Amino acid sequence: MGNVVVVGTQWGDEGKGKVVDLLAARAELVVRFQGGNNAGHTLVVNGEQTICHLIPSGILHKGKKCLIGNGVVVDPEVLLEEIKKLRAKGVSVGPESFSLSEKAHLIMPYHRAVDLAREAAKGKDKIGTTGRGIGPCYEDKAGRTGIRAVDLLEPDTLKEKIAGNLEEKNFYLTKFLHAEALAFQPIYESYLSMAEILKPYISDVSLEIDEAIREGRRILFEGAQGTHLDIDHGTYPFVTSSNPVSGSACAGAGVGPDKLHHIIGIVKAYTTRVGAGPFPTELLDETGDYMQERGAEFGATTGRRRRCGWLDLVLVRDAARLNGLSSLSITKLDVLTGLKKLNICVAYALEGKRIEHRPASINKLALCSPIYEEMPGWRDDISSARERDELPREAQRYLKRIEEIVAVPLSIISVGPGRGETIILKDPFAPSQ
Ligand code: IMP
């Protein structure tokens, strides 16, 4: 028996939500360890769509415990809204099914204000953030001025910290970003009243996980965003402010690396990106539009149209190394149905040389052109396939080439948005041979 970590291998939006949802059925605890409400997991359950931004997707399964680890930045307003929305759908969200780490940092209204004003000031050089205050909140965490969930339980500490932060933020907002100042009292009062509702959920998540591990319960660690949005390993500065790589599950949930047994990397059958930054395999033609439309490629959080392009295995190969992937899950394979020819990017050409890995310099990446392997496409609908060999021969070849180039075996293939539209080759929770 083992614990499983799910991570994105591209620029986020790989379809992690569906795989997490499937695996959550086999897990007893589901834990988020980084990011915040910049993430958005679209789940289709009984034909109905549900989007979760903060609460782990496992909440839709009865009897599971969902936890938000210390590495997540939490906007309490959004969290409460989500709890309310889920309850309205008949999903039970109480302290028996959900906990928030006392060490998780809170997104404050000034974080959102700074995020938005900074992006507006950058104009065409903007990063294209989700505007949720994620970066500014992580900045305060690193700057040791952040406000944590535990502070909600101590009104005097909360008051002092909000006042101290606000003095500095208002100076920065008004004098440098030419934005409006924020008033202390409404922020303090709203956080105090939210504290009352959140109190029962605030706990030591690391201890809860430890107890579960001692009892032999299965844990699923749910990553958000993707490897190439990682603050250290991604396409900096066009990245998010946390570490979506698997190693971050340890620091962000409070567990040791020996407790992570299977790392599953989610690979969308093509590539997408939201926000700015170089994208070597981007398609600005009708094939890109085909993927965008068939794949309904709109951001789950911001509703922005996602940029689309061919599958870039340079990115996925790097992700296999950076995350120590045990297996790959291919998602949205059905979106490619109907394309006559498919391209897979196997390397980049840069200044006349072939390179196998993504360069750190963003300027160099912008100069990289993809080296493609062309493969035949397929026309038949694949959504009813439940075994690998039920797929058209061309689709099987496409998958085989991914496995060969990335040198990591496949475990799950998604052939449609529904829970059942899946081919399971290996149970990631099963002990490895
Ligand atoms: P931030 O995380 O809001 O600071 O945004 C930084 C960059 O990460 C922007 O390009 C966002 O579009 C991107 N990003 C953040 N979260 C996600 C996600 O869940 N999926 C895809 N892109 C994301």
Side-chain angles (χ1 to χ4, degrees), residues 252-320:
V255 295
D258 60 328
K259 303 297 186 296
L260 313 180
H261 306 114
H262 188 109
I263 320 290
I264 176 161
I266 313 298
V267 184
K268 183 147 57 184
Y270 48 99
T271 312
T272 62
R273 160 157 227 183
V274 275
F279 180 172
T281 63
E282 183 167 18
L283 289 167
L284 299 166
D285 57 10
E286 64 275 15
T287 308
D289 292 342
Y290 185 85
M291 292 170 175
Q292 203 275 328
E293 279 155 34
R294 276 182 61 91
E297 294 294 352
F298 290 97
T301 299
T302 59
R304 286 181 289 182
R305 198 182 154 95
R306 295 177 185 144
R307 301 156 66 192
C308 296
W310 294 120
L311 179 60
D312 184 343
L313 289 183
V314 176
L315 299 184
V316 180
R317 206 168 34 211
D318 281 346

Side-chain angles (χ1 to χ4, degrees), residues 72-85:
V72 177
V73 288
V74 176
D75 187 326
E77 227 173 289
V78 174
L79 178 59
L80 289 177
E81 198 42 50
E82 219 160 89
I83 294 175
K84 212 164 106 189
K85 214 172 72 187

